[in-house]
Amino acid sequence: MIFSRPNLPDLLTSWRQTVELFLPRVCASCQAFGSSMVAAGALCPLCDRLVRLATLNLHSIILPGNELPVVAAGRYEHELGRCVLAYKDAGRTDLGPYLASALARAITALLQTQGEALELEETIYLVPLPSSQASVRRRGYAPAPLLARAALPLLGFPGQLRVLDALTQVPVWARAVEGIQGSKAQKTLGMHERHRHMHGKLTLGKPALHSLGRHYCLEGAACLMIDDVLTTGASLQEGCRVLTGQGARVLGGATIAYVPKRQPHSTG
């Protein structure tokens, strides 16, 4: 009797089919499952293609007030919007490679527009906007810092790039003492209310081993803010206020998506 050696690709296919039978994967966008998700990632093949296409047409936005340039990889709608929402609120961290790739394109585009203003070997700090402590406890992670670190290896910039968690949210009790609004959810507020709500909500954070005397020194540092979704720009403008108050040079902001209906001034 002659026994043939099992083929490795066939074994892998059988293993994936067995796993799919007991632990079926679901597309993070259209909720498809079954044969279409065998050997797929977090998205089915169709949604995978649609999300990649949705993040190819970059959008350049100028925030009013401080004229801060922001580049978003796509619109917060359809497949891309569902993916960002699933990543933030449904624990679908397996979407990280898709969103990090989109964020890396937005960062690259913004750095290219700032090319003449940047020195060749200048260190650029990617400063993610922080989540509230309650959100971090609920999710188990902070979306913007996680995505900033995932996008870092994808960037081919000649200078040095580093992720710097220099911003933090002011505690709720401190905002209550200072009379800063904190009762309403930010997504329920209008544009002007959101800007008033965000003012004073961010502050300079503390680095590791700060008890030993370490602190952030941002005088003259080139900073680029990172966020997941741009709605009114209130969070980015507040982050810019804090960073420039510490002497930093803010180059702009980069996001995965933006909400087009609430942007007062947009240029394609």
Side-chain angles (χ1 to χ4, degrees), residues 4 11-12 26-27 43 65 77 86 129 137 143 159 206 246 250:
S4 60
L11 288 176
L12 291 176
V26 177
C27 174
L43 299 173
E77 60 185 8
L129 293 188
R137 286 194 298 268
K206 296 180 180 180
Q246 296 294 322
V250 180

Side-chain angles (χ1 to χ4, degrees), residues 87-112:
Y87 181 85
K88 293 177 61 176
D89 295 334
R92 293 299 301 263
T93 53
D94 52 345
L95 287 164
Y98 299 91
L99 303 183
S101 176
L103 181 61
R105 284 194 290 273
I107 295 172
T108 301
L110 185 59
L111 291 178
Q112 288 174 348

Side-chain angles (χ1 to χ4, degrees), residues 10-20:
D10 292 340
L11 288 176
L12 291 176
T13 300
S14 300
W15 179 80
R16 292 192 186 102
Q17 291 174 345
T18 303
V19 171
E20 191 68 27

Side-chain angles (χ1 to χ4, degrees), residues 69-89:
V70 180
V71 175
R75 293 170 176 258
Y76 185 75
E77 60 185 8
H78 309 312
E79 290 78 17
L80 181 58
R82 288 194 289 269
C83 286
V84 173
L85 189 62
Y87 181 85
K88 293 177 61 176
D89 295 334

Side-chain angles (χ1 to χ4, degrees), residues 234-258:
S235 300
L236 289 172
Q237 289 185 333
E238 175 64 8
C240 181
R241 182 190 68 81
V242 175
L243 294 176
T244 54
Q246 296 294 322
R249 179 163 55 96
V250 180
L251 305 177
T255 69
I256 297 169
Y258 80 105

